[in-house]
Amino acid sequence: KFFKMFPPQQGQGQGQGQTQWQQPEQSGWQQGAQQPQQDAGQMGGAQQDFGQFGGMNLNSAVASYGMAMGSQYMNVAGQRAQQYASYLGTMRTYFNVDNKYVLNKLRMLLFPFNVASWKREKSHQHGEGEPSAELFLPPRADVNAPDLYIPLMAFVTYILAIGLHSGASARFTPEILGVTASSGIVCMILEVSAIRLGFYFLDAPRVPILDFIAYSGYKYVGIVLNTLVGIGLGAKPYYLLLLYTAGCMGFFMLKSLAGFLCPDRHLANMTRMYFLFGVAAFQLPLAWLLGTSP
């Protein structure tokens, strides 16, 4: 009865036994409801495409900034590494010594009055298409060249000798070693600063600060010898040896620094000569201050 009341509509394929049901038409309110959904989907897709495009630009900018900062950091690190390598090469020169140099240098420090020549030796290096450059020979090849091996060893021995003297006097404490090292370093810094300041005001040639440190550190050889003699022989030999070693150190500083301030004795400046004599005379109070009387 149902099919009689509502007979199916036959299309073009009716002759083949196929029946198609007619879809009901959508009403106006249904079409209006689907339209905002389609618009929202289109807007969402556009926003997604824009977000992807903006994200790509942001990532590209961050990557470019990171690469620029990394390149700058690598350049700075390379420059620092070259500076450190150059500094280490310079330090290596001051430790380029052998046994023969050490013995001759100690002889020069303790018996400086019979030294024949105080002039430093130079070497001539020729480059391709460049004029020859004069460089000072290393300590191994020139006994007049300053080194840092003897001052360093003498300074360490000086600290131990003061500790030994304190122990022999039953006054040793661990703090004595630190106080001795600190006082020695402070005196060296003050002396080197005063000498370098004097060179600046006298308009003298520029001298590496490591040369001044080496010259200042040689005094600990005499101070160690004074301390050991004072421990073994008493106060009187100590003060006699103190006068001698301080005089040797003053003469050594006078002759060594004169090579920079007064290379020609006939054209010596009196102001520079007074400065040299002042540096030489100051070695006695320094030796007395740093040493320890029995």
Side-chain angles (χ1 to χ4, degrees), residues 9-287:
Q9 296 181 1
Q10 298 180 353
Q12 296 178 356
Q14 186 177 2
Q16 300 177 357
Q18 295 179 357
T19 304
Q20 295 181 355
W21 295 91
Q22 183 177 7
Q23 298 292 335
E25 296 182 357
Q26 296 180 349
S27 60
W29 66 272
Q30 291 178 341
Q31 295 179 357
Q34 291 180 355
Q35 186 67 28
Q37 294 179 359
Q38 296 177 356
D39 296 340
Q42 294 177 357
M43 292 179 63
Q47 291 179 355
Q48 184 178 4
D49 295 339
F50 178 77
Q52 293 177 354
F53 179 75
M56 292 175 60
N57 290 338
L58 180 61
N59 293 334
S60 177
V62 172
S64 300
Y65 179 77
M67 292 179 62
M69 293 297 295
S71 177
Q72 183 178 1
Y73 176 78
M74 291 299 295
N75 292 334
V76 173
Q79 295 177 0
R80 294 288 179 85
Q82 292 179 356
Q83 293 177 357
Y84 292 150
S86 177
Y87 182 75
L88 291 177
T90 303
M91 291 291 295
R92 189 181 299 112
T93 303
Y94 286 90
F95 287 92
N96 185 11
V97 300
D98 55 6
N99 294 332
K100 182 180 178 180
Y101 168 83
V102 172
L103 292 176
N104 291 332
K105 196 71 172 186
L106 292 177
R107 188 182 298 113
M108 178 183 289
L109 293 172
L110 297 177
F111 306 100
F113 304 105
N114 58 355
V115 176
S117 176
W118 294 85
K119 185 178 180 180
R120 294 185 60 179
E121 301 293 335
K122 295 181 180 180
S123 64
H124 299 273
Q125 294 185 356
H126 299 273
E128 297 181 358
E130 297 180 358
S132 61
E134 292 186 350
L135 299 176
F136 289 115
L137 291 176
R140 181 188 293 267
D142 183 16
V143 70
N144 292 322
D147 72 287
L148 291 176
Y149 174 79
I150 294 177
L152 180 61
M153 295 296 104
F155 183 72
V156 174
T157 309
Y158 159 72
I159 298 174
L160 298 178
I162 296 298
L164 178 62
H165 178 271
S166 301
S169 304
R171 295 183 290 104
F172 177 78
T173 57
E175 290 77 11
I176 290 179
L177 301 179
V179 173
T180 303
S182 301
S183 60
I185 293 175
V186 169
C187 288
M188 183 181 295
I189 292 175
L190 293 177
E191 183 183 13
V192 170
S193 301
I195 294 175
R196 194 169 189 183
L197 190 64
F199 269 61
Y200 173 77
F201 284 115
L202 293 174
D203 196 18
R206 186 175 181 85
V207 180
I209 190 172
L210 293 178
D211 287 8
F212 292 142
I213 294 176
Y215 291 136
S216 177
Y218 286 134
K219 68 169 57 65
Y220 292 103
V221 174
I223 295 175
V224 169
L225 186 60
N226 301 339
T227 304
L228 296 179
V229 169
I231 294 174
L233 300 178
K236 187 175 181 180
Y238 169 81
Y239 286 111
L240 291 176
L241 189 60
L242 172 64
L243 293 175
Y244 176 77
T245 55
C248 291
M249 188 61 198
F251 187 80
F252 175 82
M253 292 290 287
L254 176 66
K255 300 297 288 186
S256 298
L257 297 181
F260 300 107
L261 291 176
C262 304
D264 189 354
R265 293 183 300 175
H266 302 285
L267 301 176
N269 188 344
M270 292 304 299
T271 304
R272 295 186 177 186
M273 293 297 299
Y274 291 148
F275 174 76
L276 290 174
F277 282 114
V279 173
F282 199 62
Q283 299 306 310
L284 178 59
L286 277 178

